[in-house]
Amino acid sequence: MHNNNDAASELAIEQAKASAIEKARGFAQKFGRAHIDLACHAALPLLLTPNLLYQIWLRFVSEAPWTAVARVLLSGLCREVGYELYEMNLDVRNLLLTELKKNQEHFGSERLDELAKFLMDYVKEELEGEDSGVKDLAQAQYWTSLVYTKPDQAINELVRAIELRLKEENWQELFRLASLVETFAEPLTEFAPLLITYARGMRSYTRWDKEEAEKQFRKLPRRGNLVQIGGIDLSIPLKVRLVNGQKKSVTFLLPRLKQNADIRLIDEPGKWEAYGSRVFGNVASSLKYEAPKEIKNLDLLPTMWSRPVSVEMALHNNHYPIREQMIEQWQGMLAALALAEVRNFPLTAQLLELRDFRHEKFTSSLWELLPNDNNSLYTLENKHSWEDIYIFLWNGKPVGMSSPSTLVCPSEEGEWLGLPWWQNCRLHSPIQHLNSFEKSLLWRWLKNLRKQLNNHNGKKQAINTIGGLIDQFCNNLNADTQPALSLTEDPQFFGVPLNRGVLIALNKPVKSLERPSNVRLIPSPEKLISNPEKGKSLDLLIIDPEIARSWNESPQHIWVHGGKTLASLKIEDLQTKKLIWQDVRWIESKDLFLPEFSFINLEEALPGAFLPKETVPLTFEGERITPLIPINPILLEYLTPEDIIRRIQLQPF
């Protein structure tokens, strides 16, 4: 009988196969026979690059259009696992390879051998190179070719590789090899079932899943702690319990690791081992975390630098669980800094030099736990790049900080009250909240920031990563690139100069440029003709926060004056004279009419006078009246009485 776990596992396998069939069928129906033929050939390599697939297309499936290469890589059959590096879903891969082998009439009986030979030749040069990562990938591709053409030789080489790693106790390599053998499970089932079972047990063991490891190793014909595979004795780790006994319950305090996790837990409880700083990034990208709702953050680091280090991992690690969400927050903070003058944002900064406070308890702890500078974008003379930090404040409250590895780091709980792209208590992408002119200004500012990245002795890989994210941000803006960059004239716009390394590019936000006003009152032509001097008078602006709703337009798309939009203008700044416009006059819409309405208790009491239309007859105590229009006299300086009357209707309420 099968237990529940076995039944669930079998169901999952069947569902995965059904999904693979559906994906392949959908791809074939959408693009046709030639495209699915290319996909069948693309299934042999473990990993694909655009160049490798192009070479396969050119040599084996040239009848397909050249665009088929991109369509295969970008379809649901594949997923991107690195820069220009793609992996085909294992079930899809096995399905397409089976199709390739079955369809000998179409491809020829030797097609798989020809394809495998091509792949061996393709990776030959990389196998002889010095880059260990490239060699590992090339070796895996080579073994893949052998598995489908010379399985006995492949088995022998894989077993010897495992034997060597066992002697070295190289658990990381054993995990990699075991995972690789598992991907060969289908083609090797007939030739090496023992090797597949051993690999599954070893893979579970290196991931500290001893229960599953025991389950797999018990299936093997053992002599003591050895099992013979392909004439070679492979050992089973002694710490694995090979006899049945009472099981202890296990409670997981952290998420499980992904199947393709590239880290290994310690092999003994309570044992400590030293790892490099990159282990934090490996941990973050290896967690199998399935959140029931939106994730705000993943802070598993026992350090006061948790947030900036988490943001660093998210931006520099393509497999970080909530990377896209972190990138949006990062973009939101950069946009707030860039448009601080244009939008009149209440952003200020304070400089914290930790060296000056290292004798105080809290800052001494910060000092001792300074993050690693492996991803620093700049260096400081005689200082660690993390020593000098800027704290950014919104309305006087901290909302983020500078970071040598990511430029800026928004705080997890920062309150950006009034910022349009701060919603549901977190920053989002600003793009949909910007007008086309603001997008162009932000694009120029980001391009300047991108250029500055190369000027401050930063780590090359870090510069490339952050530079790539800035380029992606610029592309997503889809902005007009014509306006020249113009920065604020205030050298300390944020209260202090931002001058540490590349942060100098953040020091000046975009200058607020003049645009034609959308709320300027256009004078009556007759008024200008009758009084030519009126042409020299100041323009009158009518300001109404509700005008955006009336016009069915976003506030950031309505220009007022001096580079201010309805979104960035604070009317209280005009009211309190904190903001003074010398070159225009302004009035709020509520002040266009006087507070009191007067009338003459007589119908048509002013013969010949200009009176507005009435939607219904105006009466007082049942008698018709003559209204006295309560307009602000300032309107008479710009409009003729006829124009005013045409624009007004009287309606009782």
Side-chain angles (χ1 to χ4, degrees):
M1 291 179 63
H2 293 299
N3 60 31
N4 290 338
N5 289 337
D6 290 337
S9 178
E10 290 177 6
L11 177 61
I13 291 172
E14 291 304 315
Q15 289 176 336
K17 289 182 177 179
S19 175
I21 293 172
E22 192 61 32
K23 286 180 180 179
R25 181 184 293 121
F27 183 80
Q29 289 175 345
K30 184 173 182 179
F31 295 113
R33 181 72 220 186
H35 281 73
I36 199 67
D37 286 348
L38 179 61
C40 288
H41 287 72
L44 182 62
L46 274 179
L47 292 168
L48 292 162
T49 65
N51 181 64
L52 173 57
L53 188 53
Y54 177 80
Q55 295 294 334
I56 291 174
W57 165 78
L58 190 63
R59 178 156 182 170
F60 296 102
V61 202
S62 58
E63 66 272 16
W66 63 270
T67 53
V69 172
R71 286 171 177 166
V72 170
L73 293 176
L74 300 178
S75 71
L77 304 178
C78 300
R79 68 184 183 100
E80 189 173 8
V81 294
Y83 178 68
E84 292 194 343
L85 200 60
Y86 299 83
E87 178 184 60
M88 189 171 285
N89 173 279
L90 182 58
D91 292 295
V92 172
R93 186 167 170 263
N94 289 332
L95 175 69
L96 294 177
L97 281 172
T98 300
E99 179 67 18
L100 183 68
K101 288 185 290 185
K102 285 168 48 179
N103 207 347
Q104 293 185 6
E105 292 183 5
H106 182 62
F107 298 121
S109 59
E110 305 298 324
R111 176 54 57 90
L112 191 58
D113 290 338
E114 294 170 353
L115 185 58
K117 177 65 167 59
F118 162 80
L119 186 57
M120 289 181 188
D121 292 340
Y122 185 87
V123 301
K124 185 176 180 180
E125 185 176 336
E126 295 173 344
L127 280 170
E128 299 169 354
E130 297 182 358
D131 189 315
S132 60
V134 173
K135 285 178 68 175
D136 286 344
L137 175 57
Q139 182 66 68
Q141 300 279 45
Y142 174 78
W143 278 329
T144 302
S145 301
L146 286 181
V147 163
Y148 286 94
T149 55
K150 300 177 181 179
D152 290 337
Q153 182 181 340
I155 292 166
N156 183 266
E157 292 190 18
L158 286 166
V159 171
R160 291 191 180 280
I162 291 172
E163 181 188 30
L164 176 62
R165 300 302 185 268
L166 281 169
K167 291 177 180 178
E168 296 172 346
E169 293 190 355
N170 189 335
W171 303 110
Q172 184 174 356
E173 273 300 293
L174 279 168
F175 172 81
R176 189 180 70 83
L177 283 170
S179 300
L180 185 62
V181 171
E182 263 206 278
T183 66
F184 300 148
E186 185 160 314
L188 288 183
T189 298
E190 179 183 350
F191 302 96
L194 294 182
L195 176 58
I196 296 169
T197 302
Y198 181 88
R200 286 171 177 164
M202 184 56 70
R203 188 171 186 272
S204 297
Y205 175 75
T206 54
R207 295 178 64 244
W208 198 240
D209 188 351
K210 286 193 173 183
E211 183 177 345
E212 181 62 24
E214 293 164 10
K215 177 182 175 182
Q216 295 297 330
F217 287 140
R218 286 196 203 102
K219 298 176 182 178
L220 297 171
R222 303 180 306 279
R223 288 182 293 105
N225 223 50
L226 298 175
V227 58
Q228 190 173 85
I229 301 175
I232 297 173
D233 287 334
L234 297 180
S235 63
I236 294 174
L238 290 173
K239 296 182 181 65
V240 175
R241 185 180 60 214
L242 295 174
V243 295
N244 291 324
Q246 185 176 1
K247 307 245 181 238
K248 293 182 179 180
S249 62
V250 177
T251 301
F252 291 94
L253 299 180
L254 291 175
R256 292 179 179 270
L257 295 178
K258 295 176 181 175
Q259 290 295 315
N260 60 345
D262 54 1
I263 64 167
R264 182 185 65 85
L265 295 181
I266 309 303
D267 57 0
E268 290 183 21
K271 180 180 178 181
W272 289 82
E273 288 187 7
Y275 289 91
S277 61
R278 292 187 179 275
V279 73
F280 289 118
N282 292 340
V283 169
S285 59
S286 297
L287 292 179
K288 184 178 181 181
Y289 187 83
E290 299 175 356
K293 57 182 179 179
E294 182 181 52
I295 313 168
K296 291 182 65 178
N297 194 18
L298 292 180
D299 279 341
L300 301 177
L301 307 181
T303 166
M304 289 174 283
W305 293 99
S306 169
R307 176 63 175 179
V309 172
S310 294
V311 173
E312 176 182 327
M313 288 192 297
L315 269 59
H316 289 269
N317 182 347
N318 290 335
H319 302 295
Y320 193 81
I322 54 171
R323 185 170 192 258
E324 292 306 314
Q325 180 176 309
M326 287 288 206
I327 289 175
E328 280 198 6
Q329 295 180 38
W330 177 75
Q331 291 177 345
M333 185 168 178
L334 282 178
L337 290 171
L339 301 174
E341 181 172 296
V342 172
R343 286 291 192 104
N344 198 25
F345 290 148
L347 263 173
T348 56
Q350 293 179 2
L351 174 63
L352 175 62
E353 297 181 83
L354 292 176
R355 183 171 295 189
D356 295 344
F357 300 93
R358 57 182 172 176
H359 300 298
E360 297 183 11
K361 288 184 178 180
F362 180 74
T363 45
S364 67
S365 297
L366 287 173
W367 174 270
E368 294 296 331
L369 295 170
L370 285 176
N372 194 294
D373 63 355
N374 285 342
N375 287 319
S376 285
L377 301 167
Y378 57 85
T379 57
L380 300 178
E381 188 174 357
N382 300 321
K383 282 186 174 183
H384 191 288
S385 59
W386 284 88
E387 276 189 48
D388 293 356
I389 296 296
Y390 291 97
I391 308 299
F392 291 98
L393 303 101
W394 182 275
N395 285 325
K397 295 182 179 180
V399 290
M401 59 182 281
S402 64
S403 165
S405 60
T406 61
L407 300 172
V408 296
C409 168
S411 65
E412 184 179 350
E413 302 294 340
E415 294 185 358
W416 301 75
L417 296 173
L419 182 69
W421 48 92
W422 184 71
Q423 299 171 350
N424 300 320
C425 295
R426 78 172 178 88
L427 290 170
H428 294 261
S429 170
I431 295 176
Q432 64 177 345
H433 301 278
L434 305 178
N435 61 44
S436 58
F437 189 66
E438 289 171 329
K439 289 179 181 177
S440 297
L441 295 177
L442 177 56
W443 186 91
R444 282 289 180 190
W445 188 87
L446 289 170
K447 283 295 182 182
N448 180 63
L449 175 58
R450 177 70 171 91
K451 183 179 179 182
Q452 287 286 341
L453 280 178
N454 299 309
N455 301 334
H456 299 275
N457 301 316
K459 307 291 185 182
K460 184 177 179 180
Q461 182 59 45
I463 291 172
N464 290 339
T465 298
I466 298 301
L469 290 174
I470 293 174
D471 291 339
Q472 177 185 331
F473 193 6
C474 288
N475 291 336
N476 292 343
L477 285 170
N478 193 26
D480 178 4
T481 61
Q482 293 305 313
L485 177 66
S486 181
L487 301 175
T488 182
E489 298 173 0
D490 188 344
Q492 297 187 26
F493 181 88
F494 297 108
V496 295
L498 310 182
N499 55 17
R500 298 309 196 259
V502 71
L503 300 182
I504 194 170
L506 309 181
N507 187 52
K508 290 187 175 184
V510 176
K511 183 178 182 180
S512 185
L513 301 179
E514 184 65 46
R515 294 273 289 181
S517 177
N518 299 124
V519 297
R520 180 180 68 89
L521 179 63
I522 301 175
S524 301
E526 297 87 351
K527 200 72 172 177
L528 293 175
I529 293 172
S530 63
N531 184 8
E533 293 298 315
K534 181 67 186 72
K536 299 179 181 179
S537 298
L538 301 180
D539 286 333
L540 177 64
L541 309 180
I542 300 175
I543 302 174
D544 182 354
E546 294 297 314
I547 202 170
R549 185 173 57 82
S550 299
W551 290 357
N552 194 27
E553 186 60 85
S554 300
Q556 65 265 27
H557 294 162
I558 300 175
W559 292 91
V560 182
H561 182 67
K564 300 289 186 185
T565 67
L566 204 58
S568 62
L569 176 66
K570 293 184 178 179
I571 192 66
E572 56 267 26
D573 288 347
L574 288 171
Q575 294 167 341
T576 60
K577 301 193 183 312
K578 181 179 178 181
L579 175 63
I580 298 176
W581 288 330
Q582 302 284 0
D583 52 344
V584 294
R585 302 166 76 182
W586 64 274
I587 186 172
E588 292 185 71
S589 60
K590 64 182 179 62
D591 296 325
L592 290 174
F593 294 90
L594 302 178
E596 293 185 353
F597 174 73
S598 301
F599 61 90
I600 301 174
N601 196 10
L602 185 66
E603 184 177 5
E604 297 184 1
L606 301 172
F610 291 105
L611 294 176
K613 291 182 179 179
E614 301 174 4
T615 57
V616 296
L618 296 179
T619 62
F620 178 71
E621 295 181 345
E623 300 292 332
R624 291 291 302 273
I625 62 172
T626 301
L628 302 177
I629 309 304
I631 61 171
N632 190 315
I634 193 174
L635 291 178
L636 293 173
E637 299 180 32
Y638 294 87
L639 301 173
T640 63
E642 294 90 338
D643 266 352
I644 293 175
I645 293 305
R646 279 198 297 267
R647 299 172 187 221
I648 295 176
Q649 278 190 341
L650 294 179
Q651 180 176 348
F653 62 92

